Amino acid sequence: MKTQVAIIGAGPAGMLLSEILHQHGIDSVVLEKHSRAYVLDRIRAGVLEQGTVDLLRQYGLGQRMDQEGHVHDGMKIVWAGRETFFIDVKKHLNKQFMAYGQTNIQEDLYLAGDRRAAKVLMEVDNLQLMNLTSAHPHVTFTHQGESMRLECDYIAGCDGFHGVSRQSIPQELRQEFEKEYPFGWLGILSETPPLDDIVYANHPRGFALASMRSPTLSRYYIQVPIGTDIQEWPDDRFWSEIKSRFPKEMADAMVTGPSIEKSIAPLRSYVCETMRHGQLFLAGDAAHIVPPTGAKGLNLAVSDVFYLSRALSAFYSQGTTALLDAYSATALRRVWSSVRTSWYLTNLLHRFPGGSDFDQRAQENELDYLKSSHHAQAALAEQYAGLPL
Ligand code: APR
Ligand code: PHB
């Protein structure tokens, strides 16, 4: 097989890239390891920055999001025994954001792909990237028992954190920056009406978050120690624990019900520099991971795809490689800004096991400052809203 751009991975990054390239007249083939059902079953974060919303609309992918998504002007922060405060993104930046699950975006992207008969091969195996530093790279893999070879001009590595693309960059040519946090998030999805706002709580018992997917679907999280066994968290225990971390009036307003999904995610930050090797370009989780605090992961995948699609379009329409050559540096600048924001919010809102009294006081002072300073709130609002692409 032959194509212009081989895209590895049919997660949000890979499918969005294929859609945008198609609309710019560029041919691609997407190769995905898992089945569509498997990819669609993954529950991920669900807050879209305005830049993400605008981009999805621009490429005709915003219809269901605009019907079912929930627009927000800001988010609330509460911490033990104090009054809640509101980080007002609308007031400070005249921007909004949207609560709309990644699972829905993934569905929308697959349906858009179906409509244009996109070339997406699911359940491919043994995928290998070859001749990356030549002008004619190719990808080998097996599909339905057959050995295949895909020739292309460029390869987009959109295969997530555990994919093969990043590993195909020689170790000595990449630098890795990593931070693991000593806790995870236990999250549940429940068919109950959510609170009106997205609310982040810092509590002596640990961080907690109230979020949503739709007017009838809530998403809640609590900080749990690393190594926590999910079996130890039946729904009743989860509800009573999360209520204990919120002020009484919010706890009373939480409508409880059976969970329809429950999982634990570890928290880590990771960045791979460079995001390019020869004809291979990394995008999304293949190149970086952020802790979920602030919900930056999907938005970062979208900004990478924006820069990469723009660079590929410039190459195919004008023959210029300047934007491709600048891709890694351009994408990484924005990556680091979101990596820093999610690290900052993680530090601000969690209880760190073994943290000293000094750390605790400094954290409380930071919250106090944020609560009382218009300028501090404006700065956080700007970061939460996401920097322009
Ligand atoms: N060959 C082909 N496909 C692969 C391979 C491989 N060797 N390894 C992994 N994949 C596929 C995975 O099965 C997955 O469907 O690549 C896809 C990567 O998708 P994601 O992990 O969702 O990554 P990305 O598209 O970058 O989306 C980033 O996902 O993890 C969240 O918070 C993150 O919201 C962000 C978003
Ligand atoms: C979510 O709804 O899953 C969510 C919301 C906000 C976050 C993280 C996750 O900061």
Side-chain angles (χ1 to χ4, degrees):
M1 296 167 77
K2 255 197 166 86
T3 188
Q4 289 173 307
V5 182
I7 300 177
I8 317 303
M15 288 305 291
L16 179 62
L17 180 63
S18 138
E19 183 67 38
I20 296 179
L21 291 181
H22 171 76
Q23 295 193 28
H24 288 259
I26 300 166
D27 188 61
S28 71
V29 173
V30 184
L31 304 173
E32 163 62 48
K33 184 178 180 166
H34 289 108
S35 67
R36 188 188 278 216
Y38 175 95
V39 176
L40 287 173
D41 218 33
R42 296 179 300 197
I43 308 287
R44 300 275 184 65
V47 180
L48 308 183
E49 297 171 354
Q50 175 118 36
T52 298
V53 169
D54 292 345
L55 189 89
L56 291 172
R57 283 185 188 143
Q58 183 189 337
Y59 286 98
L61 295 161
Q63 222 174 355
R64 177 152 78 120
M65 171 185 75
D66 283 323
Q67 278 165 12
E68 296 179 18
H70 195 288
V71 175
H72 290 271
D73 292 346
M75 50 90 168
K76 284 183 174 165
I77 297 181
V78 296
W79 96 99
R82 316 283 184 106
E83 237 172 79
T84 305
F85 61 98
F86 188 64
I87 302 294
D88 198 332
V89 169
K90 178 94 191 301
K91 181 178 87 183
H92 291 293
L93 293 131
N94 200 25
K95 283 186 182 176
Q96 290 175 304
F97 53 89
M98 178 89 82
Y100 186 63
Q102 180 172 322
T103 315
N104 292 3
I105 293 179
Q106 187 80 66
E107 274 170 15
D108 298 346
L109 286 165
Y110 278 136
L111 292 176
D114 291 345
R115 283 194 292 273
R116 65 183 161 89
K119 282 170 258 172
V120 182
L121 301 187
M122 305 301 289
E123 300 184 78
V124 306
D125 230 334
N126 305 316
L127 190 142
Q128 277 187 295
L129 312 185
M130 314 297 282
N131 293 354
L132 291 176
T133 51
S134 86
H136 304 287
H138 67 271
V139 184
T140 59
F141 56 95
T142 51
H143 184 240
Q144 298 174 340
E146 239 185 284
S147 296
M148 313 272 281
R149 176 185 163 115
L150 173 63
E151 294 180 358
C152 55
D153 305 326
Y154 292 106
I155 300 176
C158 304
D159 48 353
F161 187 65
H162 301 287
V164 294
S165 298
R166 186 178 67 255
Q167 307 300 336
S168 308
I169 303 179
Q171 182 84 53
E172 63 278 12
L173 296 181
R174 57 187 150 95
Q175 211 182 345
E176 298 181 304
F177 300 85
E178 194 160 16
K179 186 166 190 68
E180 294 204 357
Y181 301 91
F183 39 72
W185 281 14
L186 168 59
I188 70 159
L189 202 57
S190 140
E191 282 170 329
T192 51
L195 299 184
D196 291 336
D197 290 294
I198 295 174
V199 190
Y200 295 84
N202 177 324
H203 190 273
R205 296 182 66 86
F207 167 82
L209 168 60
S211 183
M212 63 199 69
R213 288 291 175 274
S214 78
T216 54
L217 197 57
S218 317
R219 181 80 169 146
Y220 289 103
Y221 300 94
I222 54 171
Q223 174 185 347
V224 291
I226 219 86
T228 296
D229 179 1
I230 204 160
Q231 302 302 331
E232 289 169 13
W233 284 93
D235 293 351
D236 287 352
R237 182 174 176 207
F238 181 90
W239 288 117
S240 88
E241 182 61 37
I242 194 164
K243 282 174 175 248
S244 77
R245 299 183 186 190
F246 277 90
K248 184 169 183 317
E249 71 284 1
M250 284 184 184
D252 289 347
M254 281 178 191
V255 183
T256 64
S259 64
I260 55 169
E261 196 268 348
K262 189 186 285 169
S263 54
I264 298 181
L267 268 70
R268 68 142 74 93
S269 303
Y270 171 89
V271 181
C272 170
E273 295 188 359
T274 167
M275 289 174 63
R276 179 201 188 158
H277 175 60
Q279 305 297 85
L280 166 69
F281 295 85
L282 303 180
D285 277 18
H288 40 73
I289 295 281
V290 289
T293 335
K296 294 294 179 198
L298 176 66
N299 294 293
L300 265 192
V302 169
S303 74
D304 289 350
V305 165
F306 167 78
Y307 296 125
L308 184 53
S309 59
R310 186 179 65 170
L312 288 167
S313 299
F315 172 75
Y316 285 109
S317 62
Q318 296 145 36
T320 55
T321 59
L323 290 178
L324 284 170
D325 294 337
Y327 170 73
S328 180
T330 311
L332 279 168
R333 186 160 172 248
R334 198 168 185 286
V335 165
W336 272 111
S337 122
S338 296
V339 165
R340 186 186 50 72
T341 299
S342 52
W343 162 80
Y344 167 78
L345 282 172
T346 301
N347 286 321
L348 179 74
L349 296 170
H350 291 76
R351 294 290 163 140
F352 282 73
S356 66
D357 293 345
F358 178 93
D359 295 336
Q360 184 55 36
R361 280 286 184 274
Q363 192 194 57
E364 284 167 13
N365 182 265
E366 175 87 35
L367 282 161
D368 218 4
Y369 172 56
L370 199 54
K371 185 173 174 188
S372 58
S373 163
H374 178 81
H375 301 287
Q377 289 187 12
L380 180 56
E382 183 175 41
Q383 297 169 73
Y384 195 79
L387 297 180
L389 293 173

